[in-house]
Amino acid sequence: MSHKRIPKRKAAIAVGGVVALGAAAILLPNANASQDGASDGVAAAPKTLKAGDASDLATRLAGTLGDAYAGAWYDGEDKQLVVNVVRGENTMALKVRSAGAEVRWVDNSMTELEAGAGTLKSEATIPGTSWAVDPRTNKILVTADSTVTGDKWDQLESTVENLGSGMATLKKSAGTFRTFASGGDAIFAGGARCSLGFNVTAGDGSPAFLTAGHCAAAGDQWSDQQGGEPIATVDQALFPGAGDFALLTYDDPATEAPSEVNVGGQTVPIVQAAEATVGQQVFRMGSTTGLADGQVLGLNATVNYPEGTVTGLIQTDVCAEPGDSGGSLFTQDGLAIGLTSGGSGDCTVGGETFFQPVTTALEAVGATLGAGGAGAGGQAGGQEQGAGQDAGDGEAGADDQAGAGDQAGAGDQAGAGDQADGQDAGTGQDGAGGQDGTGTGSGRHSGQDSGLSRTH
């Protein structure tokens, strides 16, 4: 753990000191993107935007365009927002261009894609499957892990085919979807290890932090050392159901909980919570594998874990392994994006990894993060923009972010070979059942779909 146990203890974010060198080399200071598009006129070229500003613009345009909106993604190479507009909606396309985004004509509306996802939910909720809308292909991306075989595969394949041509793509993953809790180091309870996500301020003003909800099944009290004295207690948790998050309050009310991510000896300041954007570059910090980076692939993803179905997640190609659960997903600009939930694969072969959106978790538990705090709807720091305005430059730079020169290698990281997989458990199981060293828990933290559970 990076936080020191001193009389007025400081609690650092995203514990663990093993950093992947490739990701750390990317996480360096960079200049703000220019806003060089014309500010008026429908013929204006798309503006160059930072990813966080592109996310804000996409949210505004989604509300403006209505049924003509069919998703958006961030083009990291050109630093532009690309917005899907249903063919024939010429007036709405003009609004997109005047706001500074690029228009892409598509056939499938968001309503049609969401209806397809609803069909998958009702007809193909099979452990080891996931789906999310992919705006870059204007289709639903359906993934099946290695446990989906035989009749289960036939059922999934038939459901996808019945959605109609051009509505969905189906791919097979070599790994197994699982939550990433494990035994080891970082934050501990009941023999389980997870990762601290983001320090926050609870609704009553006390210092607290977010982590994965499935971690809470291992116990109420968590320590920063294996077998050590507890430092935090579970206050609220949800898993499975409409999220995978937990709020833990520090037992010592004098704990200082800075809004930053420790990436292995140095820290990245976290300035606010933000929504993810498809195509956005993101970084994940976890206690097993340290720092890794990748891209957002899909939003509002549904994942059918052995323990039950979780909805509303962010799908990425960032790797993770057991013990990384609950760890922080963030951007180079210091935006808090997500909490590690689970996925397939590892940091040797890669795979899919899913994250709980931070904005949703903050709103659900009534906590705030960053200067002034940002919940699901209000971004901190006075950076809200009007529709069509150029994105602001109020976000924190990366001047204090870590280089990679002295970071430890990852050769001794824990493998995932002892993780349970291939289970066909129903949705009612305890939050982290099946994971070695995690224990079954009592189920009182699972929350299900009925809302947040409380332990005190």
Side-chain angles (χ1 to χ4, degrees), residues 154-178:
D154 293 341
Q155 177 184 351
L156 181 63
E157 188 175 43
S158 174
T159 303
V160 169
E161 290 176 352
N162 289 338
L163 293 178
S165 176
M167 281 294 294
T169 57
L170 176 60
K171 76 169 190 173
K172 192 82 169 179
S173 173
T176 301
F177 290 157
R178 64 195 188 281

Side-chain angles (χ1 to χ4, degrees), residues 129 355 426:
T129 61
F355 296 83

Side-chain angles (χ1 to χ4, degrees), residues 246-299:
L247 176 73
L248 282 73
T249 55
Y250 286 105
D251 296 337
D252 182 356
T255 297
E256 293 182 1
S259 185
E260 58 189 26
V261 173
N262 172 24
V263 293
Q266 298 189 52
T267 59
V268 176
I270 297 298
V271 296
Q272 67 184 65
E275 302 287 349
T277 303
V278 172
Q280 182 178 25
Q281 184 187 35
V282 286
F283 296 85
R284 177 201 51 74
M285 188 67 193
S287 65
T288 300
T289 57
L291 189 66
D293 72 301
Q295 281 194 357
V296 174
L297 301 179
L299 305 178

Side-chain angles (χ1 to χ4, degrees), residues 401-419:
Q401 295 169 1
D406 59 354
Q407 303 302 331
D412 59 352
Q413 294 167 3
D418 62 348
Q419 298 301 313

Side-chain angles (χ1 to χ4, degrees), residues 128-163:
T129 61
S130 71
W131 50 81
V133 172
D134 179 4
R136 287 178 288 194
T137 63
N138 190 228
K139 296 180 181 180
I140 304 168
L141 173 61
V142 183
T143 306
D145 73 11
S146 59
T147 68
V148 182
T149 58
D151 291 343
K152 294 177 182 178
W153 173 261
D154 293 341
Q155 177 184 351
L156 181 63
E157 188 175 43
S158 174
T159 303
V160 169
E161 290 176 352
N162 289 338
L163 293 178

